[in-house]
Amino acid sequence: MSAVDLEALFASRDTARLDAALSVTTPGSPEALALEGERLRRSGRPADAAPILDRALALCPGSRALGHAAALAHAAAGERARARDLWLALLARYP
């Protein structure tokens, strides 16, 4: 899955598309981690999503959508400092 595909999935509000993409990814792959983390974040489980999104981001550090999703998960989980650090890293990388 390309970075463009991942960004499109994260930008879409269609959860069915996210689930369909997750069903065809290799378990444990960076893409699977990213999609699972985003699914958890969207289902109201940001504290569960944040560490999964962090792992995916460590494997795909150049993904804007993934960095933003991780920041949103941390913010929703009350981890504002971590969220701020992620957003600042995105701004530094993509001014």
Side-chain angles (χ1 to χ4, degrees):
M1 175 178 304
S2 74
V4 171
D5 293 336
L6 190 62
E7 290 198 19
L9 281 168
F10 276 37
S12 171
R13 295 199 183 268
D14 185 355
T15 305
R17 282 183 62 203
L18 195 69
D19 290 339
L22 182 57
S23 73
V24 296
T25 58
T26 303
S29 69
E31 295 84 6
L33 291 170
L35 294 168
E36 177 63 19
E38 179 63 1
R39 190 181 63 74
L40 288 167
R41 187 188 71 77
R42 288 184 187 190
S43 68
R45 297 173 53 196
D48 294 328
I52 295 171
L53 290 167
D54 282 344
R55 279 189 301 192
L57 186 59
L59 296 169
C60 301
S63 173
R64 287 182 287 210
L66 189 49
H68 183 64
L72 289 172
H74 282 284
E79 300 166 0
R80 292 184 182 137
R82 174 70 175 138
R84 184 185 63 244
D85 290 345
L86 288 166
W87 278 315
L88 289 173
L90 281 173
L91 288 171
R93 183 172 284 212
Y94 305 102

